[in-house]
PDB file of all heavy atoms in Angstrom:
ATOM      1  N   PHE A 114       6.422 -62.867  21.054  1.00 91.00           N
ATOM      2  CA  PHE A 114       6.717 -62.571  19.653  1.00 91.00           C
ATOM      3  C   PHE A 114       8.225 -62.607  19.435  1.00 91.00           C
ATOM      4  O   PHE A 114       8.664 -63.183  18.436  1.00 91.00           O
ATOM      5  CB  PHE A 114       6.182 -61.166  19.302  1.00 91.00           C
ATOM      6  CG  PHE A 114       6.568 -60.651  17.952  1.00 91.00           C
ATOM      7  CD1 PHE A 114       6.003 -61.157  16.825  1.00 91.00           C
ATOM      8  CD2 PHE A 114       7.606 -59.754  17.829  1.00 91.00           C
ATOM      9  CE1 PHE A 114       6.373 -60.747  15.573  1.00 91.00           C
ATOM     10  CE2 PHE A 114       8.024 -59.290  16.542  1.00 91.00           C
ATOM     11  CZ  PHE A 114       7.400 -59.823  15.450  1.00 91.00           C
ATOM     12  N   ASN A 118      10.060 -65.349  17.059  1.00 88.00           N
ATOM     13  CA  ASN A 118      10.940 -64.843  15.954  1.00 88.00           C
ATOM     14  C   ASN A 118      12.299 -65.493  16.045  1.00 88.00           C
ATOM     15  O   ASN A 118      12.877 -65.924  15.052  1.00 88.00           O
ATOM     16  CB  ASN A 118      11.060 -63.310  16.156  1.00 88.00           C
ATOM     17  CG  ASN A 118      11.273 -62.676  14.798  1.00 88.00           C
ATOM     18  OD1 ASN A 118      10.696 -63.043  13.804  1.00 88.00           O
ATOM     19  ND2 ASN A 118      12.132 -61.618  14.808  1.00 88.00           N
ATOM     20  N   GLU A 121      12.051 -69.160  15.013  1.00 90.00           N
ATOM     21  CA  GLU A 121      11.910 -69.243  13.593  1.00 90.00           C
ATOM     22  C   GLU A 121      13.261 -69.073  12.922  1.00 90.00           C
ATOM     23  O   GLU A 121      13.563 -69.861  11.967  1.00 90.00           O
ATOM     24  CB  GLU A 121      10.970 -68.130  13.179  1.00 90.00           C
ATOM     25  CG  GLU A 121      10.259 -68.395  11.811  1.00 90.00           C
ATOM     26  CD  GLU A 121       9.306 -67.243  11.469  1.00 90.00           C
ATOM     27  OE1 GLU A 121       8.120 -67.316  11.854  1.00 90.00           O
ATOM     28  OE2 GLU A 121       9.746 -66.306  10.771  1.00 90.00           O
ATOM     29  N   LYS A 122      14.058 -68.108  13.371  1.00 89.00           N
ATOM     30  CA  LYS A 122      15.364 -67.912  12.791  1.00 89.00           C
ATOM     31  C   LYS A 122      16.275 -69.113  13.005  1.00 89.00           C
ATOM     32  O   LYS A 122      17.040 -69.522  12.077  1.00 89.00           O
ATOM     33  CB  LYS A 122      16.016 -66.657  13.386  1.00 89.00           C
ATOM     34  CG  LYS A 122      15.439 -65.316  12.843  1.00 89.00           C
ATOM     35  CD  LYS A 122      16.278 -64.169  13.137  1.00 89.00           C
ATOM     36  CE  LYS A 122      15.692 -62.835  12.745  1.00 89.00           C
ATOM     37  NZ  LYS A 122      14.939 -62.743  11.539  1.00 89.00           N
ATOM     38  N   ILE A 124      15.305 -72.233  13.378  1.00 92.00           N
ATOM     39  CA  ILE A 124      14.842 -73.326  12.499  1.00 92.00           C
ATOM     40  C   ILE A 124      15.297 -73.100  11.076  1.00 92.00           C
ATOM     41  O   ILE A 124      15.815 -74.028  10.431  1.00 92.00           O
ATOM     42  CB  ILE A 124      13.305 -73.430  12.591  1.00 92.00           C
ATOM     43  CG1 ILE A 124      12.851 -73.964  13.940  1.00 92.00           C
ATOM     44  CG2 ILE A 124      12.740 -74.366  11.512  1.00 92.00           C
ATOM     45  CD1 ILE A 124      11.328 -73.854  14.179  1.00 92.00           C
ATOM     46  N   THR A 125      15.183 -71.879  10.640  1.00 91.00           N
ATOM     47  CA  THR A 125      15.562 -71.555   9.270  1.00 91.00           C
ATOM     48  C   THR A 125      17.088 -71.816   9.059  1.00 91.00           C
ATOM     49  O   THR A 125      17.478 -72.418   8.100  1.00 91.00           O
ATOM     50  CB  THR A 125      15.335 -70.038   8.942  1.00 91.00           C
ATOM     51  OG1 THR A 125      13.929 -69.815   9.043  1.00 91.00           O
ATOM     52  CG2 THR A 125      15.779 -69.655   7.581  1.00 91.00           C
ATOM     53  N   ILE A 128      17.709 -75.613   8.928  1.00 93.00           N
ATOM     54  CA  ILE A 128      17.263 -76.232   7.650  1.00 93.00           C
ATOM     55  C   ILE A 128      18.148 -75.834   6.537  1.00 93.00           C
ATOM     56  O   ILE A 128      18.558 -76.660   5.658  1.00 93.00           O
ATOM     57  CB  ILE A 128      15.789 -75.759   7.269  1.00 93.00           C
ATOM     58  CG1 ILE A 128      14.779 -76.401   8.270  1.00 93.00           C
ATOM     59  CG2 ILE A 128      15.397 -76.095   5.857  1.00 93.00           C
ATOM     60  CD1 ILE A 128      13.345 -75.917   8.112  1.00 93.00           C
ATOM     61  N   ARG A 129      18.593 -74.577   6.515  1.00 93.00           N
ATOM     62  CA  ARG A 129      19.516 -74.146   5.446  1.00 93.00           C
ATOM     63  C   ARG A 129      20.855 -74.860   5.512  1.00 93.00           C
ATOM     64  O   ARG A 129      21.396 -75.325   4.524  1.00 93.00           O
ATOM     65  CB  ARG A 129      19.694 -72.627   5.486  1.00 93.00           C
ATOM     66  CG  ARG A 129      18.579 -71.825   5.073  1.00 93.00           C
ATOM     67  CD  ARG A 129      18.863 -70.432   4.638  1.00 93.00           C
ATOM     68  NE  ARG A 129      19.772 -69.760   5.557  1.00 93.00           N
ATOM     69  CZ  ARG A 129      21.094 -69.685   5.373  1.00 93.00           C
ATOM     70  NH1 ARG A 129      21.651 -70.145   4.282  1.00 93.00           N
ATOM     71  NH2 ARG A 129      21.837 -69.084   6.290  1.00 93.00           N
ATOM     72  N   LYS A 130      21.392 -74.947   6.711  1.00 93.00           N
ATOM     73  CA  LYS A 130      22.709 -75.589   6.852  1.00 93.00           C
ATOM     74  C   LYS A 130      22.618 -77.104   6.464  1.00 93.00           C
ATOM     75  O   LYS A 130      23.539 -77.613   5.810  1.00 93.00           O
ATOM     76  CB  LYS A 130      23.152 -75.458   8.318  1.00 93.00           C
ATOM     77  CG  LYS A 130      23.583 -74.110   8.709  1.00 93.00           C
ATOM     78  CD  LYS A 130      24.836 -74.034   9.532  1.00 93.00           C
ATOM     79  CE  LYS A 130      25.377 -72.668   9.781  1.00 93.00           C
ATOM     80  NZ  LYS A 130      25.486 -71.748   8.626  1.00 93.00           N
ATOM     81  N   ASP A 131      21.577 -77.762   6.884  1.00 93.00           N
ATOM     82  CA  ASP A 131      21.438 -79.157   6.557  1.00 93.00           C
ATOM     83  C   ASP A 131      21.281 -79.346   5.038  1.00 93.00           C
ATOM     84  O   ASP A 131      21.856 -80.275   4.441  1.00 93.00           O
ATOM     85  CB  ASP A 131      20.142 -79.778   7.247  1.00 93.00           C
ATOM     86  CG  ASP A 131      20.388 -79.980   8.705  1.00 93.00           C
ATOM     87  OD1 ASP A 131      21.539 -79.797   9.156  1.00 93.00           O
ATOM     88  OD2 ASP A 131      19.412 -80.217   9.415  1.00 93.00           O
ATOM     89  N   SER A 132      20.566 -78.419   4.368  1.00 94.00           N
ATOM     90  CA  SER A 132      20.402 -78.543   2.933  1.00 94.00           C
ATOM     91  C   SER A 132      21.715 -78.366   2.182  1.00 94.00           C
ATOM     92  O   SER A 132      22.036 -79.070   1.258  1.00 94.00           O
ATOM     93  CB  SER A 132      19.426 -77.387   2.399  1.00 94.00           C
ATOM     94  OG  SER A 132      18.303 -77.382   3.112  1.00 94.00           O
ATOM     95  N   ILE A 133      22.545 -77.409   2.668  1.00 93.00           N
ATOM     96  CA  ILE A 133      23.840 -77.149   2.050  1.00 93.00           C
ATOM     97  C   ILE A 133      24.731 -78.374   2.265  1.00 93.00           C
ATOM     98  O   ILE A 133      25.459 -78.821   1.328  1.00 93.00           O
ATOM     99  CB  ILE A 133      24.509 -75.862   2.586  1.00 93.00           C
ATOM    100  CG1 ILE A 133      23.671 -74.669   2.091  1.00 93.00           C
ATOM    101  CG2 ILE A 133      25.930 -75.716   2.142  1.00 93.00           C
ATOM    102  CD1 ILE A 133      24.028 -73.333   2.705  1.00 93.00           C
ATOM    103  N   LYS A 135      23.895 -81.505   2.625  1.00 91.00           N
ATOM    104  CA  LYS A 135      23.448 -82.604   1.737  1.00 91.00           C
ATOM    105  C   LYS A 135      23.947 -82.334   0.313  1.00 91.00           C
ATOM    106  O   LYS A 135      24.350 -83.206  -0.363  1.00 91.00           O
ATOM    107  CB  LYS A 135      21.924 -82.647   1.744  1.00 91.00           C
ATOM    108  CG  LYS A 135      21.360 -83.559   2.813  1.00 91.00           C
ATOM    109  CD  LYS A 135      19.837 -83.676   2.664  1.00 91.00           C
ATOM    110  CE  LYS A 135      19.308 -84.285   3.938  1.00 91.00           C
ATOM    111  NZ  LYS A 135      17.837 -84.089   4.074  1.00 91.00           N
ATOM    112  N   ALA A 136      23.803 -81.059  -0.129  1.00 91.00           N
ATOM    113  CA  ALA A 136      24.144 -80.680  -1.480  1.00 91.00           C
ATOM    114  C   ALA A 136      25.721 -80.900  -1.707  1.00 91.00           C
ATOM    115  O   ALA A 136      26.099 -81.318  -2.745  1.00 91.00           O
ATOM    116  CB  ALA A 136      23.783 -79.291  -1.790  1.00 91.00           C
ATOM    117  N   LEU A 137      26.479 -80.534  -0.650  1.00 89.00           N
ATOM    118  CA  LEU A 137      27.908 -80.649  -0.792  1.00 89.00           C
ATOM    119  C   LEU A 137      28.331 -82.147  -0.835  1.00 89.00           C
ATOM    120  O   LEU A 137      29.348 -82.478  -1.422  1.00 89.00           O
ATOM    121  CB  LEU A 137      28.606 -79.962   0.398  1.00 89.00           C
ATOM    122  CG  LEU A 137      28.639 -78.406   0.317  1.00 89.00           C
ATOM    123  CD1 LEU A 137      29.129 -77.832   1.644  1.00 89.00           C
ATOM    124  CD2 LEU A 137      29.471 -77.918  -0.830  1.00 89.00           C
ATOM    125  N   ASN A 139      26.538 -84.103  -2.462  1.00 73.00           N
ATOM    126  CA  ASN A 139      25.869 -84.484  -3.721  1.00 73.00           C
ATOM    127  C   ASN A 139      24.596 -85.295  -3.481  1.00 73.00           C
ATOM    128  O   ASN A 139      24.249 -86.166  -4.284  1.00 73.00           O
ATOM    129  CB  ASN A 139      26.770 -85.313  -4.634  1.00 73.00           C
ATOM    130  CG  ASN A 139      27.759 -84.411  -5.314  1.00 73.00           C
ATOM    131  OD1 ASN A 139      27.318 -83.305  -5.729  1.00 73.00           O
ATOM    132  ND2 ASN A 139      28.943 -84.795  -5.462  1.00 73.00           N
ATOM    133  N   LYS A 140      23.919 -85.022  -2.333  1.00 52.00           N
ATOM    134  CA  LYS A 140      22.622 -85.675  -2.119  1.00 52.00           C
ATOM    135  C   LYS A 140      21.574 -84.574  -2.043  1.00 52.00           C
ATOM    136  O   LYS A 140      21.865 -83.495  -1.526  1.00 52.00           O
ATOM    137  CB  LYS A 140      22.638 -86.445  -0.805  1.00 52.00           C
ATOM    138  CG  LYS A 140      23.528 -87.601  -0.732  1.00 52.00           C
ATOM    139  CD  LYS A 140      23.436 -88.196   0.674  1.00 52.00           C
ATOM    140  CE  LYS A 140      24.662 -89.033   0.925  1.00 52.00           C
ATOM    141  NZ  LYS A 140      24.921 -89.311   2.342  1.00 52.00           N
ATOM    142  N   PHE A 141      20.365 -84.827  -2.440  1.00 46.00           N
ATOM    143  CA  PHE A 141      19.224 -83.917  -2.131  1.00 46.00           C
ATOM    144  C   PHE A 141      17.964 -84.638  -1.988  1.00 46.00           C
ATOM    145  O   PHE A 141      17.847 -85.755  -2.417  1.00 46.00           O
ATOM    146  CB  PHE A 141      19.139 -82.858  -3.210  1.00 46.00           C
ATOM    147  CG  PHE A 141      18.464 -83.319  -4.518  1.00 46.00           C
ATOM    148  CD1 PHE A 141      17.079 -83.211  -4.715  1.00 46.00           C
ATOM    149  CD2 PHE A 141      19.232 -83.775  -5.570  1.00 46.00           C
ATOM    150  CE1 PHE A 141      16.505 -83.655  -5.910  1.00 46.00           C
ATOM    151  CE2 PHE A 141      18.632 -84.201  -6.738  1.00 46.00           C
ATOM    152  CZ  PHE A 141      17.320 -84.133  -6.888  1.00 46.00           C
TER     153      PHE A 141
ATOM    154  N   SER B  43      11.895 -80.400  -8.026  1.00 93.00           N
ATOM    155  CA  SER B  43      13.268 -81.028  -7.983  1.00 93.00           C
ATOM    156  C   SER B  43      13.335 -82.242  -8.926  1.00 93.00           C
ATOM    157  O   SER B  43      14.308 -82.388  -9.630  1.00 93.00           O
ATOM    158  CB  SER B  43      13.584 -81.507  -6.563  1.00 93.00           C
ATOM    159  OG  SER B  43      13.793 -80.376  -5.749  1.00 93.00           O
ATOM    160  N   LYS B  47      16.302 -83.076 -12.080  1.00 88.00           N
ATOM    161  CA  LYS B  47      17.428 -83.779 -11.488  1.00 88.00           C
ATOM    162  C   LYS B  47      18.450 -84.280 -12.499  1.00 88.00           C
ATOM    163  O   LYS B  47      19.602 -84.495 -12.190  1.00 88.00           O
ATOM    164  CB  LYS B  47      16.885 -84.928 -10.598  1.00 88.00           C
ATOM    165  CG  LYS B  47      16.223 -86.082 -11.338  1.00 88.00           C
ATOM    166  CD  LYS B  47      15.812 -87.092 -10.348  1.00 88.00           C
ATOM    167  CE  LYS B  47      15.144 -88.207 -11.079  1.00 88.00           C
ATOM    168  NZ  LYS B  47      14.631 -89.276 -10.187  1.00 88.00           N
ATOM    169  N   VAL B  53      20.856 -79.017  -7.253  1.00 95.00           N
ATOM    170  CA  VAL B  53      19.600 -78.764  -6.589  1.00 95.00           C
ATOM    171  C   VAL B  53      19.768 -78.854  -5.103  1.00 95.00           C
ATOM    172  O   VAL B  53      20.218 -79.906  -4.560  1.00 95.00           O
ATOM    173  CB  VAL B  53      18.558 -79.796  -7.076  1.00 95.00           C
ATOM    174  CG1 VAL B  53      17.185 -79.454  -6.364  1.00 95.00           C
ATOM    175  CG2 VAL B  53      18.349 -79.730  -8.566  1.00 95.00           C
ATOM    176  N   ILE B  54      19.428 -77.811  -4.390  1.00 95.00           N
ATOM    177  CA  ILE B  54      19.480 -77.805  -2.965  1.00 95.00           C
ATOM    178  C   ILE B  54      18.022 -77.700  -2.440  1.00 95.00           C
ATOM    179  O   ILE B  54      17.311 -76.820  -2.839  1.00 95.00           O
ATOM    180  CB  ILE B  54      20.303 -76.634  -2.416  1.00 95.00           C
ATOM    181  CG1 ILE B  54      21.721 -76.665  -2.982  1.00 95.00           C
ATOM    182  CG2 ILE B  54      20.348 -76.630  -0.919  1.00 95.00           C
ATOM    183  CD1 ILE B  54      22.584 -75.467  -2.570  1.00 95.00           C
ATOM    184  N   LYS B  55      17.651 -78.614  -1.582  1.00 95.00           N
ATOM    185  CA  LYS B  55      16.233 -78.671  -1.203  1.00 95.00           C
ATOM    186  C   LYS B  55      16.077 -78.336   0.251  1.00 95.00           C
ATOM    187  O   LYS B  55      16.745 -78.899   1.154  1.00 95.00           O
ATOM    188  CB  LYS B  55      15.780 -80.115  -1.413  1.00 95.00           C
ATOM    189  CG  LYS B  55      14.262 -80.272  -1.629  1.00 95.00           C
ATOM    190  CD  LYS B  55      13.920 -81.648  -2.173  1.00 95.00           C
ATOM    191  CE  LYS B  55      12.487 -82.019  -1.856  1.00 95.00           C
ATOM    192  NZ  LYS B  55      11.465 -81.184  -2.444  1.00 95.00           N
ATOM    193  N   HIS B  56      15.207 -77.391   0.492  1.00 94.00           N
ATOM    194  CA  HIS B  56      14.772 -77.099   1.881  1.00 94.00           C
ATOM    195  C   HIS B  56      13.664 -78.023   2.231  1.00 94.00           C
ATOM    196  O   HIS B  56      12.769 -78.261   1.418  1.00 94.00           O
ATOM    197  CB  HIS B  56      14.270 -75.632   2.020  1.00 94.00           C
ATOM    198  CG  HIS B  56      15.358 -74.637   1.924  1.00 94.00           C
ATOM    199  ND1 HIS B  56      15.048 -73.270   1.671  1.00 94.00           N
ATOM    200  CD2 HIS B  56      16.673 -74.653   2.098  1.00 94.00           C
ATOM    201  CE1 HIS B  56      16.173 -72.574   1.732  1.00 94.00           C
ATOM    202  NE2 HIS B  56      17.150 -73.367   1.967  1.00 94.00           N
ATOM    203  N   ASN B  57      13.658 -78.517   3.495  1.00 92.00           N
ATOM    204  CA  ASN B  57      12.580 -79.424   3.931  1.00 92.00           C
ATOM    205  C   ASN B  57      11.225 -78.672   4.090  1.00 92.00           C
ATOM    206  O   ASN B  57      10.180 -79.283   4.048  1.00 92.00           O
ATOM    207  CB  ASN B  57      12.927 -80.092   5.222  1.00 92.00           C
ATOM    208  CG  ASN B  57      14.032 -81.093   5.040  1.00 92.00           C
ATOM    209  OD1 ASN B  57      14.219 -81.627   3.932  1.00 92.00           O
ATOM    210  ND2 ASN B  57      14.751 -81.413   6.065  1.00 92.00           N
ATOM    211  N   PHE B  58      11.329 -77.396   4.336  1.00 91.00           N
ATOM    212  CA  PHE B  58      10.141 -76.582   4.510  1.00 91.00           C
ATOM    213  C   PHE B  58      10.261 -75.279   3.676  1.00 91.00           C
ATOM    214  O   PHE B  58      11.355 -74.900   3.360  1.00 91.00           O
ATOM    215  CB  PHE B  58       9.948 -76.175   6.023  1.00 91.00           C
ATOM    216  CG  PHE B  58       9.712 -77.317   6.934  1.00 91.00           C
ATOM    217  CD1 PHE B  58      10.715 -77.787   7.689  1.00 91.00           C
ATOM    218  CD2 PHE B  58       8.471 -77.876   7.048  1.00 91.00           C
ATOM    219  CE1 PHE B  58      10.549 -78.856   8.537  1.00 91.00           C
ATOM    220  CE2 PHE B  58       8.233 -78.942   7.921  1.00 91.00           C
ATOM    221  CZ  PHE B  58       9.311 -79.426   8.644  1.00 91.00           C
ATOM    222  N   LEU B  60      10.803 -71.731   3.351  1.00 92.00           N
ATOM    223  CA  LEU B  60      11.301 -70.717   4.270  1.00 92.00           C
ATOM    224  C   LEU B  60      11.174 -69.314   3.693  1.00 92.00           C
ATOM    225  O   LEU B  60      11.277 -68.369   4.420  1.00 92.00           O
ATOM    226  CB  LEU B  60      12.795 -70.981   4.521  1.00 92.00           C
ATOM    227  CG  LEU B  60      13.111 -72.337   5.120  1.00 92.00           C
ATOM    228  CD1 LEU B  60      14.665 -72.523   5.263  1.00 92.00           C
ATOM    229  CD2 LEU B  60      12.511 -72.469   6.518  1.00 92.00           C
ATOM    230  N   ALA B  64      15.543 -66.618   2.428  1.00 92.00           N
ATOM    231  CA  ALA B  64      16.262 -67.764   2.961  1.00 92.00           C
ATOM    232  C   ALA B  64      16.855 -68.616   1.855  1.00 92.00           C
ATOM    233  O   ALA B  64      17.980 -69.086   1.961  1.00 92.00           O
ATOM    234  CB  ALA B  64      15.341 -68.626   3.858  1.00 92.00           C
ATOM    235  N   LEU B  67      19.899 -66.940   0.512  1.00 93.00           N
ATOM    236  CA  LEU B  67      21.006 -67.105   1.473  1.00 93.00           C
ATOM    237  C   LEU B  67      21.687 -68.453   1.341  1.00 93.00           C
ATOM    238  O   LEU B  67      22.913 -68.548   1.323  1.00 93.00           O
ATOM    239  CB  LEU B  67      20.474 -66.961   2.933  1.00 93.00           C
ATOM    240  CG  LEU B  67      20.495 -65.545   3.516  1.00 93.00           C
ATOM    241  CD1 LEU B  67      19.881 -65.575   4.922  1.00 93.00           C
ATOM    242  CD2 LEU B  67      21.955 -65.021   3.571  1.00 93.00           C
ATOM    243  N   THR B  68      20.835 -69.470   1.187  1.00 94.00           N
ATOM    244  CA  THR B  68      21.384 -70.856   1.012  1.00 94.00           C
ATOM    245  C   THR B  68      22.196 -70.883  -0.306  1.00 94.00           C
ATOM    246  O   THR B  68      23.287 -71.469  -0.335  1.00 94.00           O
ATOM    247  CB  THR B  68      20.183 -71.871   0.906  1.00 94.00           C
ATOM    248  OG1 THR B  68      19.468 -71.825   2.112  1.00 94.00           O
ATOM    249  CG2 THR B  68      20.721 -73.272   0.651  1.00 94.00           C
ATOM    250  N   GLU B  71      25.557 -69.001   0.122  1.00 94.00           N
ATOM    251  CA  GLU B  71      26.503 -69.771   0.950  1.00 94.00           C
ATOM    252  C   GLU B  71      27.093 -70.912   0.155  1.00 94.00           C
ATOM    253  O   GLU B  71      28.316 -71.133   0.235  1.00 94.00           O
ATOM    254  CB  GLU B  71      25.762 -70.322   2.191  1.00 94.00           C
ATOM    255  CG  GLU B  71      26.464 -70.128   3.470  1.00 94.00           C
ATOM    256  CD  GLU B  71      25.632 -70.625   4.645  1.00 94.00           C
ATOM    257  OE1 GLU B  71      24.693 -69.912   5.060  1.00 94.00           O
ATOM    258  OE2 GLU B  71      26.000 -71.717   5.208  1.00 94.00           O
ATOM    259  N   TYR B  72      26.264 -71.605  -0.566  1.00 95.00           N
ATOM    260  CA  TYR B  72      26.780 -72.730  -1.392  1.00 95.00           C
ATOM    261  C   TYR B  72      27.716 -72.211  -2.470  1.00 95.00           C
ATOM    262  O   TYR B  72      28.809 -72.780  -2.677  1.00 95.00           O
ATOM    263  CB  TYR B  72      25.599 -73.501  -2.007  1.00 95.00           C
ATOM    264  CG  TYR B  72      26.029 -74.668  -2.821  1.00 95.00           C
ATOM    265  CD1 TYR B  72      26.282 -75.913  -2.192  1.00 95.00           C
ATOM    266  CD2 TYR B  72      26.202 -74.587  -4.182  1.00 95.00           C
ATOM    267  CE1 TYR B  72      26.685 -77.008  -2.924  1.00 95.00           C
ATOM    268  CE2 TYR B  72      26.571 -75.688  -4.959  1.00 95.00           C
ATOM    269  CZ  TYR B  72      26.815 -76.881  -4.311  1.00 95.00           C
ATOM    270  OH  TYR B  72      27.220 -77.971  -5.088  1.00 95.00           O
ATOM    271  N   LYS B  75      31.080 -71.473  -1.122  1.00 93.00           N
ATOM    272  CA  LYS B  75      31.861 -72.702  -0.858  1.00 93.00           C
ATOM    273  C   LYS B  75      32.444 -73.290  -2.093  1.00 93.00           C
ATOM    274  O   LYS B  75      33.398 -73.997  -2.082  1.00 93.00           O
ATOM    275  CB  LYS B  75      30.975 -73.690  -0.101  1.00 93.00           C
ATOM    276  CG  LYS B  75      30.685 -73.362   1.314  1.00 93.00           C
ATOM    277  CD  LYS B  75      29.937 -74.503   2.050  1.00 93.00           C
ATOM    278  CE  LYS B  75      29.349 -74.125   3.346  1.00 93.00           C
ATOM    279  NZ  LYS B  75      30.218 -73.582   4.368  1.00 93.00           N
ATOM    280  N   LYS B  76      31.720 -73.071  -3.228  1.00 94.00           N
ATOM    281  CA  LYS B  76      32.180 -73.585  -4.520  1.00 94.00           C
ATOM    282  C   LYS B  76      32.997 -72.602  -5.308  1.00 94.00           C
ATOM    283  O   LYS B  76      33.186 -72.753  -6.521  1.00 94.00           O
ATOM    284  CB  LYS B  76      30.949 -74.065  -5.364  1.00 94.00           C
ATOM    285  CG  LYS B  76      30.277 -75.259  -4.766  1.00 94.00           C
ATOM    286  CD  LYS B  76      31.119 -76.521  -4.924  1.00 94.00           C
ATOM    287  CE  LYS B  76      30.410 -77.763  -4.506  1.00 94.00           C
ATOM    288  NZ  LYS B  76      31.238 -78.962  -4.729  1.00 94.00           N
ATOM    289  N   TYR B 166      18.754 -60.744   6.736  1.00 71.00           N
ATOM    290  CA  TYR B 166      18.165 -61.678   7.737  1.00 71.00           C
ATOM    291  C   TYR B 166      16.699 -61.991   7.476  1.00 71.00           C
ATOM    292  O   TYR B 166      16.146 -62.925   8.026  1.00 71.00           O
ATOM    293  CB  TYR B 166      18.235 -61.089   9.169  1.00 71.00           C
ATOM    294  CG  TYR B 166      19.711 -60.813   9.525  1.00 71.00           C
ATOM    295  CD1 TYR B 166      20.207 -59.517   9.427  1.00 71.00           C
ATOM    296  CD2 TYR B 166      20.562 -61.837   9.914  1.00 71.00           C
ATOM    297  CE1 TYR B 166      21.507 -59.274   9.735  1.00 71.00           C
ATOM    298  CE2 TYR B 166      21.858 -61.560  10.221  1.00 71.00           C
ATOM    299  CZ  TYR B 166      22.350 -60.260  10.143  1.00 71.00           C
ATOM    300  OH  TYR B 166      23.697 -60.012  10.401  1.00 71.00           O
ATOM    301  N   ASP B 168      13.668 -63.637   5.863  1.00 65.00           N
ATOM    302  CA  ASP B 168      13.496 -64.831   5.083  1.00 65.00           C
ATOM    303  C   ASP B 168      12.593 -64.637   3.884  1.00 65.00           C
ATOM    304  O   ASP B 168      12.650 -65.287   2.870  1.00 65.00           O
ATOM    305  CB  ASP B 168      12.926 -65.956   5.908  1.00 65.00           C
ATOM    306  CG  ASP B 168      13.917 -66.327   7.063  1.00 65.00           C
ATOM    307  OD1 ASP B 168      15.089 -66.005   6.936  1.00 65.00           O
ATOM    308  OD2 ASP B 168      13.443 -66.924   8.047  1.00 65.00           O
TER     309      ASP B 168
END
Side-chain angles (χ1 to χ4, degrees):
Chain A
F114 173 76
N118 210 35
E121 202 178 272
K122 284 195 185 325
I124 291 170
T125 299
I128 288 173
R129 288 201 315 99
K130 288 224 173 313
D131 288 349
S132 309
I133 291 171
K135 271 186 195 162
L137 287 170
N139 282 322
K140 292 176 203 164
F141 78 88
Chain B
S43 291
K47 66 180 182 183
V53 181
I54 303 176
K55 205 167 157 60
H56 287 164
N57 290 337
F58 296 99
L60 301 175
L67 268 175
T68 299
E71 226 176 283
Y72 181 84
K75 285 186 193 304
K76 290 290 187 179
Y166 303 99
D168 297 338

